[in-house]
């Protein structure tokens, strides 16, 4: 019944216009040569008026085209895959935590419990500084991690697209917790010897949703810089942000965050549409930072012993839910079919105006998107969104498998998820993908992409980190996975 309703409403315009189109076609079929001659004579007699009307129409069309935002295309993207020497199993994690000598027995048990329920698998990655015995976190090691992630992803991206580094006009790098001087964006400019007038931006302290903020910033800059490429790099740095204290609200991040990053190449060149993968349709940013509870739910500070860490509040899930509600309320009218908007509006009017005791209508976003890329922040986040948006296991698969295979790679997790969808051969021309992420502040940001062509997995070797092992996924992820104790 709902499907029939959806089809009728979606095609209502065509149904209403059909009689007029039929009448016009009937009238045109009855035209005679004498009618055409009369029309020609009328135009010649009123040539000045006809010319004026054509001029006005041309001027309006020109003004519309000049004010219309430039289309932004995603040529390609690449996700970084660390080498085998960076692999960290659950047992390796617990062994390194125990050998560090910084955690009490109770907090080691707490970390084990979190890890067993995290949804992370046995193939995630840590930087060398954390895996070394003893660990040696320092500025030099943090720079090595940043260079490996950024340059590894960018090298793959440039090789895949064939774009020369000197043709890049905009660079946006986001990394929340590691902000050296010179900046990470300057590191990219120096390494690739980018041109002197490159527009370079470095975003810090903006959390896991900063990747979509970077995309939105690049989109705005491409409205100004004509015929240009924008390079976006999203990553987080683990080396200097491993927490060595015993505040449990800060230990959570140790258990979830892992090494990773992505590079994305955008273009506003019309000629690039043919070879691009996607077109950016919408970006929606929501910020609840004016609310004190939301502002402090993810907070970097010192614990009682003076050790710096990122504390996660118990209010985090509630705050994330409120931010998600605000974000999808803004995004909904841009993407949902009219049939869903009518149902939502009817529910809202009944509840707010007539005071009816009715359950709020949750729009079916599966009618707006074929693919969902939800930030793999943790199992609880994914469970909540799956329930609230009434998504299927198939829709959640890219996010859950990314959490299992790579862990929480912060702002770059969305790109590992889209890469998973491509590696599975699921993306077809015209498909729409929704990327949604949460971050400190507190923020919820969305980006909507439309596929410009079919994505064939066979052509993704090199830039897609899933290709060589995609046949193993999806895997079953138990609610609890025991950590085997070292002998």
């Amino acid at each position: 019944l709902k499907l029939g309703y959806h089809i009728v409403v979606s095609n209502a315009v065509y149904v209403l216009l059909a009689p007029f189109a039929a009448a016009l076609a009937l009238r045109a079929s009855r035209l005679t040569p004498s009618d055409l001659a009369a029309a020609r004579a009328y135009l010649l007699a009123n040539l000045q008026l006809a010319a004026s009307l054509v001029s006005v129409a041309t001027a309006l069309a020109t003004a519309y085209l000049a004010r219309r935002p430039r289309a932004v295309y995603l040529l390609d993207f690449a996700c970084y895959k660390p080498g085998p020497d960076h692999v960290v199993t659950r047992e390796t994690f617990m062994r390194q935590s125990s050998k560090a000598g910084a955690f009490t027995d109770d907090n080691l048990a707490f970390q084990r419990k979190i890890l067993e329920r995290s949804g992370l698998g046995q193939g995630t990655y840590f930087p060398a500084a954390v895996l070394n015995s003893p660990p040696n976190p320092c500025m030099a090691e943090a720079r090595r991690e940043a260079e490996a992630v950024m340059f590894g992803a960018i090298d793959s991206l440039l090789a895949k697209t064939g774009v020369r580094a000197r043709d890049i006009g905009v660079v946006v790098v986001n990394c929340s917790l590691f902000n050296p001087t010179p900046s990470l964006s300057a590191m990219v400019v120096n390494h690739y010897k980018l041109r002197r007038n490159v527009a370079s931006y470095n975003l810090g302290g903006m959390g896991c949703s900063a990747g979509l903020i970077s995309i939105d910033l690049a989109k705005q800059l491409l409205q100004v810089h004509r015929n240009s490429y924008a390079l976006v790099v999203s990553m987080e740095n683990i080396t200097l942000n491993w927490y060595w204290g015993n505040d449990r609200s800060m230990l959570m991040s140790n258990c979830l965050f892992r090494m990773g990053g992505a590079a994305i190449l955008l273009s506003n060149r019309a000629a690039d549409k043919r070879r691009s993968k996607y077109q950016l349709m919408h970006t929606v940013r929501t910020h609840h930072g004016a609310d004190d509870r939301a502002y402090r739910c993810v907070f970097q500070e010192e614990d009682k012993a003076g050790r710096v860490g990122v504390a996660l509040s118990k209010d985090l899930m509630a705050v994330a839910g409120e931010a998600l509600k605000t974000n999808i309320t803004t995004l909904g009218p841009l993407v949902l079919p009219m049939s869903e908007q009518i149902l939502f509006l009817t529910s809202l009017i009944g509840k707010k105006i007539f005071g009816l005791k009715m359950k709020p209508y949750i729009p079916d976003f599966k009618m707006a998107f074929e693919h969902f890329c939800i930030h793999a922040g943790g199992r609880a986040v994914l469970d909540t969104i799956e329930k609230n948006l009434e998504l299927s296991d198939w829709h959640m698969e890219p996010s859950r498998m990314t959490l299992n295979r790579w862990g929480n790679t912060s702002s770059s997790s969305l790109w590992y998820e889209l890469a998973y969808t491509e590696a599975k051969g699921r993306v077809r021309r015209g498909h729409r993908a929704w990327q949604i992420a949460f971050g400190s502040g507190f923020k919820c940001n969305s980006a909507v992409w439309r596929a410009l062509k079919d994505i064939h997995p066979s052509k993704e070797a090199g830039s897609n980190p899933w290709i060589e092992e995609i046949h193993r996924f999806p895997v079953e992820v138990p609610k609890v996975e025991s950590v085997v104790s070292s002998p």
Side-chain angles (χ1 to χ4, degrees):
L1 181 63
K2 185 176 179 181
L3 180 60
Y5 160 76
H6 170 69
I7 293 173
V8 169
V9 173
S10 299
N11 295 280
V13 174
Y14 302 105
V15 174
L16 294 174
L17 290 179
F20 297 98
L24 185 62
L26 181 63
R27 179 70 182 88
S29 67
R30 294 177 178 176
L31 290 176
T32 63
S34 59
D35 293 328
L36 297 176
R40 179 175 180 275
Y42 180 81
L43 286 175
L44 291 174
N46 298 274
L47 189 60
Q48 186 174 1
L49 176 61
S52 299
L53 291 175
V54 171
S55 298
V56 170
T58 302
L60 291 174
T62 302
Y64 168 75
L65 293 174
R67 293 178 60 86
R68 187 179 62 174
R70 290 188 176 90
V72 175
Y73 305 109
L74 190 158
L75 268 73
D76 214 324
F77 65 96
C79 299
Y80 178 65
K81 184 175 184 178
D85 52 327
H86 290 280
V87 172
V88 53
T89 64
R90 292 185 292 272
E91 289 73 25
T92 302
F93 177 94
M94 290 307 305
R95 185 167 58 251
Q96 290 298 104
S97 295
S98 180
K99 289 169 63 177
F103 309 111
T104 64
D105 290 342
D106 285 345
N107 279 330
L108 285 172
F110 172 76
Q111 291 182 78
R112 180 188 297 272
K113 182 178 179 180
I114 294 299
L115 199 63
E116 290 175 339
R117 292 160 175 77
S118 65
L120 272 67
Q122 296 286 61
T124 58
Y125 300 96
F126 268 159
V130 178
L131 291 175
N132 288 340
S133 295
N136 61 325
C138 60
M139 179 63 74
E141 287 294 332
R143 285 184 179 275
R144 289 190 186 95
E145 179 190 353
E147 290 171 354
V149 173
M150 291 195 304
F151 301 160
I154 295 173
D155 287 347
S156 297
L157 179 62
L158 295 181
K160 180 74 179 297
T161 60
V163 173
R164 299 175 300 179
R166 62 176 176 271
D167 291 332
I168 295 172
V170 175
V171 174
V172 182
V173 178
N174 67 267
C175 181
S176 189
L177 296 177
F178 180 55
N179 293 285
T181 299
S183 67
L184 296 175
S185 60
M187 195 182 296
V188 172
V189 172
N190 175 263
H191 181 79
Y192 291 96
K193 308 304 177 186
L194 302 185
R195 63 197 197 203
R196 293 185 177 182
N197 65 339
V198 64
S200 173
Y201 298 85
N202 196 86
L203 306 182
M206 303 193 79
C208 298
S209 67
L212 296 186
I213 296 176
S214 296
I215 293 294
D216 181 66
L217 175 58
K219 180 187 77 172
Q220 302 299 333
L221 291 168
L222 287 175
Q223 302 304 311
V224 179
H225 298 267
R226 295 177 178 271
N227 297 318
S228 187
Y229 292 110
L231 174 64
V232 175
V233 182
S234 294
M235 61 167 289
E236 193 49 80
N237 191 282
I238 304 297
T239 298
L240 286 181
N241 296 291
W242 186 262
Y243 175 61
W244 301 100
N246 284 283
D247 187 320
R248 292 193 176 184
S249 67
M250 297 181 177
L251 281 171
M252 291 283 291
S253 59
N254 282 12
C255 300
L256 298 176
F257 282 89
R258 295 295 187 267
M259 182 182 183
I264 304 96
L265 191 63
L266 304 176
S267 171
N268 59 8
R269 302 185 183 197
D272 284 328
K273 180 178 181 179
R274 181 181 56 82
R275 67 189 190 107
S276 295
K277 283 186 173 180
Y278 304 93
Q279 181 175 346
L280 180 59
M281 306 307 295
H282 306 287
T283 53
V284 174
R285 294 170 56 180
T286 302
H287 206 307
H288 282 197
D291 178 76
D292 290 341
R293 185 180 66 141
Y295 173 70
R296 293 195 63 89
C297 71
V298 180
F299 207 82
Q300 186 181 27
E301 58 186 345
E302 295 175 331
D303 64 12
K304 294 179 180 179
R307 297 183 180 90
V308 176
V310 177
L312 305 181
S313 166
K314 294 180 179 179
D315 296 326
L316 178 58
M317 293 308 300
V319 168
E322 294 166 4
L324 173 65
K325 181 179 179 180
T326 303
N327 190 270
I328 64 177
T329 300
T330 305
L331 180 68
L334 300 176
V335 299
L336 287 170
M338 186 57 66
S339 57
E340 286 297 299
Q341 296 190 47
I342 290 174
L343 290 175
F344 177 75
L345 182 61
T346 302
S347 170
L348 188 65
I349 292 174
K351 187 176 179 63
K352 298 293 185 181
I353 297 181
F354 295 102
L356 300 178
K357 294 183 179 180
M358 54 190 301
K359 184 180 179 180
Y361 180 73
I362 304 299
D364 187 357
F365 280 91
K366 296 187 292 294
M367 289 189 172
F369 306 107
E370 286 74 27
H371 308 291
F372 295 80
C373 299
I374 302 160
H375 168 53
R379 173 175 261 160
V381 174
L382 299 181
D383 289 346
T384 301
I385 294 181
E386 179 182 12
K387 179 181 178 181
N388 290 342
L389 297 183
E390 298 179 354
L391 301 178
S392 68
D393 291 341
W394 188 89
H395 291 111
M396 296 298 299
E397 185 181 309
S399 299
R400 293 197 184 280
M401 293 305 100
T402 294
L403 181 63
N404 179 266
R405 176 64 182 85
W406 308 95
N408 181 348
T409 60
S410 190
S411 57
S412 66
S413 69
L414 299 173
W415 299 103
Y416 287 93
E417 294 163 13
L418 188 57
Y420 179 91
T421 305
E422 292 184 355
K424 279 292 185 181
R426 296 177 179 178
V427 181
R428 295 289 181 265
R429 182 177 180 179
H431 280 190
R432 296 150 299 177
W434 179 18
Q435 292 181 320
I436 184 165
F438 306 90
S440 58
F442 190 84
K443 301 179 286 293
C444 177
N445 300 320
S446 291
V448 177
W449 304 90
R450 181 171 61 86
L452 297 176
K453 59 184 179 182
D454 295 352
I455 307 298
H456 300 286
S458 59
K459 298 180 180 180
E460 298 303 307
S463 62
N464 191 316
W466 294 92
I467 290 298
E468 296 178 357
E469 52 189 285
I470 193 63
H471 61 279
R472 298 195 294 107
F473 293 90
V475 296
E476 183 67 25
V477 182
K479 293 294 183 182
V480 179
E481 293 186 278
S482 297
V483 178
V484 180
S485 299
S486 300

